[in-house]
Amino acid sequence: MISDRKLEHLLICKYYDVEFKNKTTGFEDIELIHQALPEINKNDIDLSTSVFGKKMESPLFITAITGGHPVAKDINKNLAIAAEEMNIALGVGSQRAAIEHPELADTYTVVRENAPDCLLVGNIGAPQLNLADKAVEILDADILAIHLNPLQESIQPEGDLDARGFLDSISKICDTVDIPVMAKETGCGISSETAKDLVNAGIDYIDIEGAGGTSWAAVETYRADDRYLGETFWDWGIPTAISTVEVTSSVDVPVISSGGIRNGLEAAKAIALGADAVGMALPFLKESVSVEDIIEYINKFNESLRIAMFLVGANNIEELKNSNLIIKGETKQWLEDRGFNTTKYSRR
Amino acid sequence: MISDRKLEHLLICKYYDVEFKNKTTGFEDIELIHQALPEINKNDIDLSTSVFGKKMESPLFITAITGGHPVAKDINKNLAIAAEEMNIALGVGSQRAAIEHPELADTYTVVRENAPDCLLVGNIGAPQLNLADKAVEILDADILAIHLNPLQESIQPEGDLDARGFLDSISKICDTVDIPVMAKETGCGISSETAKDLVNAGIDYIDIEGAGGTSWAAVETYRADDRYLGETFWDWGIPTAISTVEVTSSVDVPVISSGGIRNGLEAAKAIALGADAVGMALPFLKESVSVEDIIEYINKFNESLRIAMFLVGANNIEELKNSNLIIKGETKQWLEDRGFNTTKYSRR
Amino acid sequence: MISDRKLEHLLICKYYDVEFKNKTTGFEDIELIHQALPEINKNDIDLSTSVFGKKMESPLFITAITGGHPVAKDINKNLAIAAEEMNIALGVGSQRAAIEHPELADTYTVVRENAPDCLLVGNIGAPQLNLADKAVEILDADILAIHLNPLQESIQPEGDLDARGFLDSISKICDTVDIPVMAKETGCGISSETAKDLVNAGIDYIDIEGAGGTSWAAVETYRADDRYLGETFWDWGIPTAISTVEVTSSVDVPVISSGGIRNGLEAAKAIALGADAVGMALPFLKESVSVEDIIEYINKFNESLRIAMFLVGANNIEELKNSNLIIKGETKQWLEDRGFNTTKYSRR
Amino acid sequence: MISDRKLEHLLICKYYDVEFKNKTTGFEDIELIHQALPEINKNDIDLSTSVFGKKMESPLFITAITGGHPVAKDINKNLAIAAEEMNIALGVGSQRAAIEHPELADTYTVVRENAPDCLLVGNIGAPQLNLADKAVEILDADILAIHLNPLQESIQPEGDLDARGFLDSISKICDTVDIPVMAKETGCGISSETAKDLVNAGIDYIDIEGAGGTSWAAVETYRADDRYLGETFWDWGIPTAISTVEVTSSVDVPVISSGGIRNGLEAAKAIALGADAVGMALPFLKESVSVEDIIEYINKFNESLRIAMFLVGANNIEELKNSNLIIKGETKQWLEDRGFNTTKYSRR
Ligand SMILES: Cc1cc2nc3c(=O)[nH]c(=O)nc-3n(C[C@H](O)[C@H](O)[C@H](O)COP(=O)(O)O)c2cc1C
Ligand SMILES: Cc1cc2nc3c(=O)[nH]c(=O)nc-3n(C[C@H](O)[C@H](O)[C@H](O)COP(=O)(O)O)c2cc1C
Ligand SMILES: Cc1cc2nc3c(=O)[nH]c(=O)nc-3n(C[C@H](O)[C@H](O)[C@H](O)COP(=O)(O)O)c2cc1C
Ligand SMILES: Cc1cc2nc3c(=O)[nH]c(=O)nc-3n(C[C@H](O)[C@H](O)[C@H](O)COP(=O)(O)O)c2cc1C
């Protein structure tokens, strides 16, 4: 049953080592350039940003984590209270469970109840796009996220393996649902080619969810009888820093950089690479036992983002986007090979 | 006696650490690019390929391992049953033993008996090309492989050290035997120069067997009184990923990429670099005690290749060959220095 | 109280690991080129240099460490006796404490008393520039250093966070105080942009204090309730070797290279990259219990600088500046990306 | 007394770790290219080479090690018997001791007594060039080596530190002594500039003795009261592979590549980079207790060189010099920066 799998995922992610092993996000190859004379007032730095007309206090999404299990309800409630209080965005996990098992609906609706004003993101998998309307209906979300996760579908025993016609379905959903639609990966990243396809299909927002953080091949390795497949694909995917450049350089919609982002310094790098906001899942799962812990974590994230902005002299997110940075090492090599100019970021 | 040496080799390979130490295949420098929207049905992916008119279920060769010893007979029998069942290709070890000691012939012929339809590859060393006709006669193979192993010949006490005239002999064999002839290394790889010489001599198929997997200098180190020579050449050779590009970029015959390949993800990279199939020896030796183990291993290999193909949106081997990839690090540097364009693979 | 914080800083720096963890000064990427035939007399090598008309025996600054606490008085006294004896330059820590608490003045004035002739550097933070005149008055310094430390201000609980108008204030100070004015960082380095701004504002001397040595984020981590911010910015900054090139290539004032310099070989590299002198703080704090230890340390530093000069055949600091060197690795990549020609150093 | 220091050096080199720590010879960045079809007979490979009309069985020098102490006499005797038997070249340590203490002369002359025909190399330091005539007279050497060791002179307490006029003295010696004169470093390498100066002064042969093997700063660290200087310069010098290219690309005299060479594979790389022969000291000191051990070591070296030549298809030293090779990593970067074309070796 989906519900049991959901609990298993939560427990594995919380207690096991599920992050990439031999691949990183690539943010260690990105260097913002210290400005000893920022000439700004750190206390005046404005972290806020607007998403489809809704203002957020800081450019942070708690990306899709859960729903569909009593334990998930508690987690979602805590996340919702904190997100509302801090005025950041919050996504729920795949709503498939709620649609197929209506008795589980409250494990999702608990979010809107506790977060009446925050930017709320619904979630449905690309293989279940027929459930999209229902998903929107149930949740009262501001945006619907369609998650793409061909790797997880491939490794988990119960996977949906027919990925034909997804673009068409996405295109239809974008036409029919009356809230903006976002596409998100789940830890393997979005390539420039896929980004263009998505935007052509009508997608309004891309959440890249690149490689370097939670690895779903890793998660499924712990559930599998045989570790071979999970081990083989543990480190598969486009590193987050690279995917951020691939996508922001190729399409014109707003972009969330995510997958392995763990503090405001990495967020600042992602934004200076062109992202509009960042997202995190695993760290929030780990703090999710209490509202206080979540809020403290968001405060620390915000403060570290603010410090990074202070040190490059950026008063706000727009100015941060124009900060100089260096791209080094394999991240540089990958991007240059794929035709992206990496030196343009270093003197602008 | 050859037969004892064969057993020694089997035991050393099975129980000791005989792989390269400070050199890798280079496949970690190759990155396939995740496509979050594959737009294909994973269940419809076709792994099959044709070799000289014979169809294989997946592009996989069990490359030459053994023969010439009662233990070898058991191994060959198991490999044959599995290869037949899974419809992949299978090579025997050097047939010299069978020719010089006819009473050992059944340790080879057991293969065709148990694998009447599978693509079977005979094997003879370049120094014993006078035995080629006999080798073909004994085995009823589909292809004859001529192995080149100057390093092993140099390190082992009993080595054949006169390598003059090999190209001439190869040329004659290609003219006279009535099955296709393949040249293979045994773990040091084929350079672009050697590939051209081989094809000019009439070779129909090249199995590169590059550096990064089983090291024959390593194997012989365990047999030697003094470790000096073995240690010195333990990591000698052209890394498999590099050799794959050197050969596929220089000649027009089909190419097997091999030497240290251990799963379908590496196989996918090799094929995207231009190979037509891949080969493995050591992993099959380790599974060779039971037919079930071998079959399970092949199934896992096939499944991992299928997943890699799904994630880059390749329906079949031909499409996989046109997938984009990045070549990084020292692999890139080596290839560029040798005059091969490495960026052409990244946007095609 | 400032005074307690000063003691805390001293103790933490002396007994804890406060240096950068995953970032280095970059000097390991700089290679001076051995000349087996130096054709000079090592005993005649002249390490001396002149700063604003005052001659120093070797191009070495003990950069700002302390003041404002009885313990600081002892340290400053020892440093002063040694600096006077060895005729090198010496800086005091921030004089804010002495100005706000006049009873602490002697913890600074002890320096001039014990070092009547040595080049003495006053110190005041950019946020306290209104105290600059007073600082000059109290100390009888030869140069006034204005320290820039936005990172430390950000991490420490008591930080000054309004960095607006610093350039203007600096400009005014440069006009009004009648000794030369130097700008210094405290371990995050000076970028080429900041260097130009400083020189335009009238600064006479730049002490880069780059990343790779003492990390003030690290120091504050030990004082903080929560390690998150300190850990996140522990390795923030422009590596010293890089900052040295950024600054010396962009402005025409004399430059001190500092931050993680630990011996005369690194000093020689810094000078060959364009610096006029080098500075060190942490190593001197560690030797500060006795005058003898400090003198011995300076002697060893001088001797290692002299050996490095001997091995590249440089008779004096001017010749050292023209020695050939290679810039490798990420240091090269950073500098090239930022538009600095790194090969010009290798054949001049 | 010199004699005691000599014994100390022998013991330290034999029992302590005196090799470079964070710098290598650079030979791991050099890749010879395996040729699976060498088309030569390994048994016919000719390792011999001629030096100033004298034929050596293999291109190997036992470079200067010792003399001037009873223990040295035993070592020199063993080395001499082995060198004569294997017909390779042999150098003695600095002859200064014998000249200043005539009673120690037999610790050197023992070499010619036991090696009447082998190529014998005398040795005198650049600071003692006035003793050159005497050195030639005492030893009946075929070549006189002048060693350059400014680093060791700098670190050891008793060092000669006036290096002025060395080129002039060398020039005079080259005119007056009637045997060829060679210049050698002792583990820091020769730069292209120094090589040109040496050849202009009349030097007939250069033994580069680069960085990566025995470090004299290391040796002196064990003798010093304070480790500071030795630690600082432990890894100083031009890596052997780099120095080999710097010198062979800049001058037209024969070149010995040495410093950290440990087997025939590294020797093959050095020769393919342009060297005429290679040299080793430390490994021979370690084998020097018995003639048999030395001979066995030379045999293994020769055999490994022969295998390397076999695998690239080189019949003799001249052909080896034209083998293709790749230069990777920092070795490539250094050489390119210094103006040497590194790709010319990869396709010739
Ligand atoms: C326990 C858990 C459950 C998740 N479930 C979903 C999901 O239902 N839908 C979805 O789009 N992503 C899901 N994700 C993926 C995250 O949204 C995110 O893409 C991924 O974890 C990478 O980010 P991270 O490294 O910050 O964790 C889940 C992640 C975790 C840790
Ligand atoms: C035990 C063993 C015996 C082998 N015997 C032969 C042989 O007789 N003929 C041959 O061409 N290759 C032989 N090989 C080499 C393999 O075919 C293959 O080239 C090499 O092992 C590299 O592939 P791997 O890393 O997958 O093991 C042998 C390999 C092993 C492990
Ligand atoms: C204990 C301590 C106190 C310091 N106090 C000051 C200060 O008051 N003013 C200042 O400009 N720099 C101060 N610094 C910074 C140093 O001058 C220097 O910029 C920094 O430590 C980097 O150099 P290092 O790696 O050689 O220590 C202090 C450093 C230390 C270790
Ligand atoms: C114990 C010992 C003594 C040496 N004495 C001399 C010497 O007297 N003259 C000289 O030119 N080189 C001398 N050398 C240096 C060697 O000839 C050689 O340049 C250096 O050791 C680097 O080579 P390696 O790494 O093979 O040891 C000595 C080396 C050793 C190990």
Side-chain angles (χ1 to χ4, degrees):
Chain A
M1 213 189 78
I2 294 188
S3 177
D4 289 348
R5 200 207 314 165
K6 296 255 160 212
L7 184 61
E8 254 188 278
H9 282 161
L10 287 175
L11 294 174
I12 289 171
C13 287
K14 189 146 178 196
Y15 297 113
Y16 288 56
D17 188 0
V18 294
E19 297 190 273
F20 279 68
K21 269 193 295 213
N22 297 312
K23 189 179 265 177
T24 65
T25 58
F27 284 118
E28 74 290 348
D29 281 341
I30 311 296
E31 293 270 0
L32 293 169
I33 297 168
H34 178 69
Q35 299 302 343
L37 278 173
E39 287 283 316
I40 65 174
N41 186 343
K42 176 164 168 286
N43 296 322
D44 292 347
I45 288 174
D46 181 7
L47 302 183
S48 76
T49 191
S50 275
V51 175
F52 301 117
K54 222 164 183 172
K55 196 172 167 185
M56 299 163 62
E57 273 310 309
S58 60
L60 177 60
F61 283 72
I62 302 177
T63 61
I65 299 178
T66 198
H69 189 280
V71 167
K73 186 176 173 182
D74 291 344
I75 293 175
N76 274 339
K77 185 176 169 194
N78 290 345
L79 292 173
I81 298 173
E84 180 77 12
E85 158 110 15
M86 300 301 293
N87 193 13
I88 60 165
L90 170 61
V92 295
S94 170
Q95 296 178 242
R96 181 187 185 177
I99 297 166
E100 295 179 348
H101 305 269
E103 72 280 12
L104 293 170
D106 66 333
T107 64
Y108 298 87
T109 52
V110 67
V111 173
R112 187 45 104 201
E113 280 156 31
N114 288 280
D117 293 317
C118 99
L119 186 85
L120 184 56
V121 186
N123 191 288
I124 199 76
Q128 293 93 38
L129 281 187
N130 54 318
L131 310 178
D133 288 330
K134 195 94 183 104
V136 172
E137 189 190 309
I138 291 177
L139 191 67
D140 184 22
D142 300 288
I143 310 180
L144 175 67
I146 300 172
H147 70 252
L148 314 173
N149 63 342
L151 175 54
Q152 189 191 3
E153 300 288 355
S154 297
I155 307 252
Q156 73 186 4
E158 321 85 346
D160 276 302
L161 301 168
D162 188 354
R164 286 173 305 173
F166 280 11
L167 267 173
D168 264 6
S169 314
I170 289 173
S171 184
K172 279 192 206 105
I173 298 298
C174 291
D175 279 355
T176 54
V177 302
D178 44 12
I179 55 175
V181 182
M182 154 194 297
K184 80 181 282 286
E185 238 288 337
T186 59
C188 301
I190 305 276
S191 68
S192 112
E193 295 87 347
T194 301
K196 285 179 200 151
D197 285 348
L198 287 166
V199 172
N200 287 340
I203 279 292
D204 303 296
Y205 208 142
I206 293 179
D207 179 3
I208 64 156
E209 301 290 351
T214 304
S215 158
W216 278 94
V219 176
E220 296 298 338
T221 305
Y222 295 106
R223 295 178 66 221
D225 293 337
D226 189 292
R227 301 176 60 93
Y228 182 94
L229 291 180
E231 295 276 10
T232 300
F233 290 93
W234 193 293
D235 287 324
W236 173 270
I238 308 173
T240 298
I242 291 174
S243 180
T244 303
V245 175
E246 290 228 348
V247 175
T248 58
S249 305
S250 308
V251 295
D252 236 8
V253 300
V255 171
I256 302 175
S257 177
S258 52
I261 288 198
R262 298 295 176 255
N263 56 54
L265 173 53
E266 288 164 355
K269 293 176 177 183
I271 291 168
L273 284 173
D276 296 273
V278 303
M280 292 195 268
L282 193 62
F284 284 109
L285 173 61
K286 295 201 165 154
E287 305 293 342
S288 62
V289 248
S290 96
V291 173
E292 290 65 38
D293 287 354
I294 305 169
I295 288 179
E296 194 193 326
Y297 190 82
I298 298 170
N299 271 322
K300 290 192 291 190
F301 171 87
N302 284 349
E303 179 61 10
S304 59
L305 173 57
R306 206 176 283 118
I307 293 177
M309 290 171 70
F310 184 51
L311 299 178
V312 298
N315 276 298
N316 52 48
I317 300 299
E318 221 36 58
E319 287 182 21
L320 178 57
K321 282 201 180 181
N322 285 306
S323 303
N324 287 337
L325 57 82
I326 308 287
I327 304 184
K328 299 182 302 180
E330 298 205 334
T331 300
K332 182 188 184 69
Q333 208 176 19
W334 177 314
L335 289 170
E336 290 287 337
D337 260 32
R338 290 268 289 172
F340 302 102
N341 175 357
T342 59
T343 50
K344 75 171 185 209
Y345 300 90
S346 59
R347 282 168 281 165
R348 55 186 179 184
Chain B
M1 213 188 79
I2 294 187
S3 177
D4 288 347
R5 200 209 313 166
K6 295 254 160 212
L7 184 60
E8 253 187 280
H9 282 161
L10 288 175
L11 293 174
I12 289 171
C13 288
K14 189 146 178 196
Y15 298 112
Y16 288 56
D17 189 0
V18 295
E19 296 190 272
F20 279 69
K21 268 193 296 213
N22 297 313
K23 189 179 265 176
T24 65
T25 58
F27 284 118
E28 75 289 348
D29 280 341
I30 311 297
E31 294 270 0
L32 292 169
I33 297 167
H34 178 69
Q35 299 301 343
L37 278 172
E39 286 283 316
I40 65 173
N41 185 343
K42 175 163 168 288
N43 296 323
D44 292 346
I45 288 175
D46 181 6
L47 302 183
S48 76
T49 189
S50 275
V51 174
F52 300 118
K54 223 165 183 172
K55 197 173 166 183
M56 299 163 61
E57 273 310 309
S58 61
L60 177 59
F61 282 72
I62 302 176
T63 61
I65 299 179
T66 198
H69 188 281
V71 166
K73 186 176 173 183
D74 289 345
I75 293 174
N76 275 338
K77 185 176 168 193
N78 288 345
L79 292 173
I81 298 172
E84 181 77 10
E85 159 109 12
M86 299 302 292
N87 193 12
I88 60 166
L90 170 61
V92 294
S94 169
Q95 296 178 242
R96 181 187 185 178
I99 297 165
E100 295 180 348
H101 305 268
E103 72 280 12
L104 293 170
D106 67 332
T107 64
Y108 297 86
T109 52
V110 67
V111 173
R112 188 47 103 202
E113 280 157 31
N114 288 280
D117 293 318
C118 100
L119 187 84
L120 183 57
V121 186
N123 191 288
I124 199 77
Q128 294 92 38
L129 281 186
N130 55 317
L131 310 178
D133 288 329
K134 197 91 182 107
V136 172
E137 190 189 310
I138 291 176
L139 191 66
D140 184 23
D142 299 288
I143 309 180
L144 175 67
I146 300 172
H147 69 251
L148 314 173
N149 62 344
L151 175 55
Q152 189 191 3
E153 301 288 356
S154 297
I155 308 252
Q156 73 186 5
E158 323 83 348
D160 276 302
L161 302 168
D162 188 354
R164 285 172 306 172
F166 280 11
L167 268 173
D168 264 6
S169 314
I170 288 172
S171 184
K172 279 192 206 105
I173 297 298
C174 291
D175 280 356
T176 55
V177 300
D178 45 12
I179 56 174
V181 183
M182 156 195 294
K184 81 181 281 287
E185 238 289 334
T186 59
C188 301
I190 305 276
S191 68
S192 112
E193 295 86 347
T194 302
K196 285 179 199 154
D197 286 347
L198 287 166
V199 172
N200 287 340
I203 279 293
D204 303 296
Y205 208 142
I206 293 179
D207 180 1
I208 63 155
E209 301 289 352
T214 305
S215 157
W216 279 95
V219 177
E220 296 298 339
T221 304
Y222 295 107
R223 295 179 66 221
D225 293 336
D226 189 291
R227 300 175 62 94
Y228 182 95
L229 291 180
E231 294 277 11
T232 300
F233 290 93
W234 193 294
D235 287 324
W236 173 271
I238 308 172
T240 299
I242 291 174
S243 180
T244 303
V245 175
E246 290 228 348
V247 174
T248 58
S249 304
S250 308
V251 296
D252 236 8
V253 299
V255 171
I256 302 175
S257 177
S258 53
I261 288 197
R262 298 295 176 256
N263 56 54
L265 173 52
E266 288 164 354
K269 293 176 178 183
I271 291 168
L273 284 174
D276 296 271
V278 305
M280 291 194 267
L282 192 63
F284 282 110
L285 172 60
K286 295 199 166 156
E287 305 293 341
S288 63
V289 248
S290 94
V291 172
E292 290 65 39
D293 288 354
I294 305 169
I295 288 179
E296 194 194 325
Y297 190 83
I298 299 170
N299 272 322
K300 290 193 293 192
F301 170 88
N302 285 349
E303 179 60 10
S304 60
L305 173 56
R306 206 176 282 117
I307 293 177
M309 290 170 70
F310 184 52
L311 299 178
V312 297
N315 277 297
N316 52 47
I317 300 298
E318 219 37 58
E319 287 182 20
L320 178 56
K321 282 200 181 183
N322 285 306
S323 302
N324 287 338
L325 57 82
I326 308 288
I327 305 184
K328 298 182 302 181
E330 296 206 334
T331 300
K332 183 188 183 71
Q333 209 175 20
W334 176 313
L335 289 169
E336 290 287 338
D337 260 31
R338 290 269 288 172
F340 302 101
N341 175 356
T342 58
T343 50
K344 75 171 185 209
Y345 300 89
S346 59
R347 283 168 282 166
R348 53 186 181 183
Chain C
M1 212 187 81
I2 293 188
S3 176
D4 288 348
R5 199 206 316 165
K6 295 256 159 211
L7 184 61
E8 254 187 279
H9 281 161
L10 288 175
L11 293 174
I12 289 171
C13 287
K14 189 145 178 198
Y15 298 111
Y16 289 54
D17 189 0
V18 294
E19 297 190 273
F20 279 68
K21 268 192 296 212
N22 297 313
K23 188 179 266 177
T24 65
T25 59
F27 285 117
E28 74 289 348
D29 280 341
I30 311 297
E31 293 270 0
L32 292 169
I33 297 167
H34 179 69
Q35 299 302 345
L37 277 172
E39 287 283 316
I40 64 173
N41 185 343
K42 176 164 167 287
N43 296 322
D44 292 347
I45 288 174
D46 181 7
L47 302 183
S48 76
T49 190
S50 276
V51 174
F52 299 118
K54 221 161 184 176
K55 197 173 166 184
M56 299 163 61
E57 272 311 309
S58 60
L60 178 59
F61 282 72
I62 301 177
T63 61
I65 298 179
T66 198
H69 189 282
V71 166
K73 185 176 174 183
D74 290 344
I75 294 175
N76 274 340
K77 184 175 169 196
N78 288 346
L79 292 173
I81 298 173
E84 180 77 11
E85 159 110 14
M86 299 302 292
N87 192 13
I88 61 166
L90 170 62
V92 294
S94 169
Q95 296 178 241
R96 181 187 185 178
I99 296 165
E100 295 179 348
H101 305 269
E103 71 281 12
L104 293 171
D106 67 331
T107 64
Y108 297 87
T109 51
V110 66
V111 173
R112 187 46 104 200
E113 280 156 31
N114 287 280
D117 293 318
C118 99
L119 187 84
L120 184 56
V121 187
N123 191 288
I124 199 77
Q128 293 93 37
L129 281 186
N130 54 318
L131 309 178
D133 289 329
K134 196 91 183 106
V136 172
E137 189 190 310
I138 291 176
L139 191 68
D140 183 23
D142 299 288
I143 310 181
L144 175 67
I146 300 172
H147 69 251
L148 314 173
N149 63 342
L151 175 54
Q152 190 192 2
E153 301 288 354
S154 298
I155 308 251
Q156 73 186 3
E158 321 83 349
D160 275 303
L161 301 168
D162 188 354
R164 285 173 306 173
F166 281 10
L167 268 172
D168 264 5
S169 315
I170 289 174
S171 184
K172 280 192 206 107
I173 299 297
C174 291
D175 280 356
T176 54
V177 301
D178 44 12
I179 55 174
V181 182
M182 155 194 295
K184 81 183 280 288
E185 239 288 335
T186 58
C188 300
I190 305 276
S191 68
S192 112
E193 294 87 346
T194 302
K196 284 180 200 152
D197 286 348
L198 287 167
V199 172
N200 287 339
I203 280 292
D204 303 295
Y205 207 141
I206 293 179
D207 180 2
I208 64 156
E209 301 290 351
T214 305
S215 157
W216 278 95
V219 176
E220 296 298 338
T221 305
Y222 295 106
R223 295 179 65 219
D225 292 337
D226 189 291
R227 300 175 60 93
Y228 181 95
L229 292 180
E231 295 276 10
T232 301
F233 290 93
W234 193 294
D235 287 324
W236 172 271
I238 309 172
T240 299
I242 291 174
S243 180
T244 303
V245 175
E246 290 228 349
V247 175
T248 58
S249 304
S250 307
V251 295
D252 237 8
V253 300
V255 171
I256 302 175
S257 177
S258 53
I261 288 198
R262 297 296 176 254
N263 56 53
L265 173 53
E266 288 164 355
K269 293 175 177 183
I271 291 169
L273 283 174
D276 296 273
V278 304
M280 292 195 267
L282 192 63
F284 283 110
L285 173 61
K286 294 198 166 157
E287 305 293 342
S288 63
V289 248
S290 94
V291 173
E292 290 66 39
D293 287 355
I294 306 169
I295 288 179
E296 194 194 325
Y297 190 82
I298 299 170
N299 271 323
K300 290 193 292 190
F301 170 88
N302 285 349
E303 180 60 10
S304 60
L305 173 56
R306 206 176 283 116
I307 294 176
M309 290 171 70
F310 184 51
L311 299 178
V312 298
N315 276 298
N316 51 49
I317 300 299
E318 220 37 58
E319 287 182 21
L320 177 57
K321 282 201 179 183
N322 285 305
S323 302
N324 287 338
L325 56 83
I326 308 288
I327 304 184
K328 300 182 301 181
E330 296 205 335
T331 300
K332 183 188 184 70
Q333 208 176 19
W334 177 313
L335 289 170
E336 291 287 338
D337 261 31
R338 290 268 288 172
F340 302 102
N341 174 357
T342 59
T343 51
K344 75 171 185 208
Y345 300 89
S346 60
R347 282 169 280 164
R348 55 186 179 183
Chain D
M1 211 187 83
I2 295 188
S3 176
D4 288 347
R5 200 206 316 166
K6 296 254 159 212
L7 183 61
E8 253 188 279
H9 282 160
L10 288 175
L11 294 174
I12 289 171
C13 286
K14 190 147 178 195
Y15 297 112
Y16 288 57
D17 188 0
V18 295
E19 297 191 273
F20 278 69
K21 269 193 295 213
N22 297 313
K23 188 178 266 176
T24 64
T25 58
F27 285 117
E28 74 290 348
D29 280 342
I30 311 297
E31 294 270 0
L32 292 169
I33 297 167
H34 179 69
Q35 299 301 344
L37 278 171
E39 287 283 316
I40 65 173
N41 185 343
K42 175 163 167 287
N43 296 322
D44 293 346
I45 288 174
D46 181 8
L47 302 183
S48 76
T49 190
S50 275
V51 175
F52 300 118
K54 222 164 185 175
K55 198 174 166 183
M56 298 163 62
E57 272 311 309
S58 60
L60 178 59
F61 282 72
I62 302 177
T63 62
I65 299 178
T66 198
H69 189 281
V71 166
K73 186 176 173 184
D74 290 345
I75 293 175
N76 274 339
K77 185 177 169 193
N78 288 347
L79 292 173
I81 298 173
E84 181 76 11
E85 159 110 15
M86 300 302 292
N87 192 13
I88 61 165
L90 170 61
V92 294
S94 169
Q95 295 178 243
R96 181 185 184 179
I99 297 166
E100 295 180 348
H101 304 269
E103 72 279 13
L104 294 169
D106 67 333
T107 64
Y108 297 87
T109 52
V110 67
V111 173
R112 187 46 103 200
E113 280 157 32
N114 288 280
D117 293 318
C118 99
L119 186 84
L120 183 57
V121 186
N123 191 287
I124 199 77
Q128 295 92 37
L129 281 186
N130 55 318
L131 309 179
D133 288 330
K134 197 94 181 103
V136 172
E137 190 190 309
I138 291 176
L139 191 68
D140 184 22
D142 298 289
I143 309 180
L144 175 67
I146 299 172
H147 69 252
L148 314 173
N149 63 342
L151 175 55
Q152 189 191 3
E153 301 288 356
S154 297
I155 308 252
Q156 73 186 5
E158 321 84 346
D160 275 302
L161 302 168
D162 188 354
R164 286 172 305 172
F166 281 10
L167 268 173
D168 264 7
S169 313
I170 289 173
S171 184
K172 280 191 205 107
I173 298 297
C174 291
D175 279 356
T176 54
V177 300
D178 45 11
I179 55 174
V181 182
M182 156 193 294
K184 80 182 281 288
E185 237 288 336
T186 58
C188 301
I190 305 275
S191 68
S192 114
E193 294 87 347
T194 301
K196 285 180 201 152
D197 285 347
L198 287 167
V199 171
N200 287 340
I203 280 292
D204 303 296
Y205 207 141
I206 292 179
D207 180 1
I208 64 155
E209 301 290 351
T214 305
S215 158
W216 278 95
V219 176
E220 296 297 338
T221 304
Y222 295 107
R223 295 178 65 219
D225 292 336
D226 189 291
R227 299 175 61 94
Y228 181 95
L229 292 179
E231 295 277 10
T232 301
F233 290 92
W234 193 294
D235 287 324
W236 172 271
I238 308 172
T240 298
I242 290 174
S243 180
T244 303
V245 175
E246 290 230 347
V247 175
T248 58
S249 304
S250 308
V251 295
D252 235 8
V253 301
V255 170
I256 303 175
S257 176
S258 52
I261 288 199
R262 298 296 176 255
N263 57 54
L265 173 52
E266 288 164 354
K269 293 175 177 183
I271 291 168
L273 284 173
D276 296 273
V278 304
M280 292 195 266
L282 192 63
F284 284 110
L285 172 61
K286 295 199 166 155
E287 305 294 340
S288 63
V289 248
S290 95
V291 173
E292 290 66 39
D293 287 355
I294 306 169
I295 288 178
E296 194 194 325
Y297 190 82
I298 299 169
N299 271 322
K300 291 193 292 191
F301 171 88
N302 285 349
E303 180 59 10
S304 60
L305 173 57
R306 206 177 282 116
I307 292 176
M309 290 171 70
F310 184 51
L311 299 178
V312 298
N315 276 298
N316 51 50
I317 300 298
E318 221 36 59
E319 287 183 20
L320 177 56
K321 282 200 180 183
N322 285 304
S323 302
N324 286 338
L325 57 83
I326 308 287
I327 304 184
K328 300 183 300 182
E330 297 206 335
T331 300
K332 182 188 185 70
Q333 210 175 19
W334 177 314
L335 290 169
E336 290 287 338
D337 261 31
R338 291 268 289 172
F340 302 102
N341 175 356
T342 59
T343 50
K344 74 172 185 206
Y345 300 88
S346 59
R347 284 168 281 167
R348 54 185 180 184

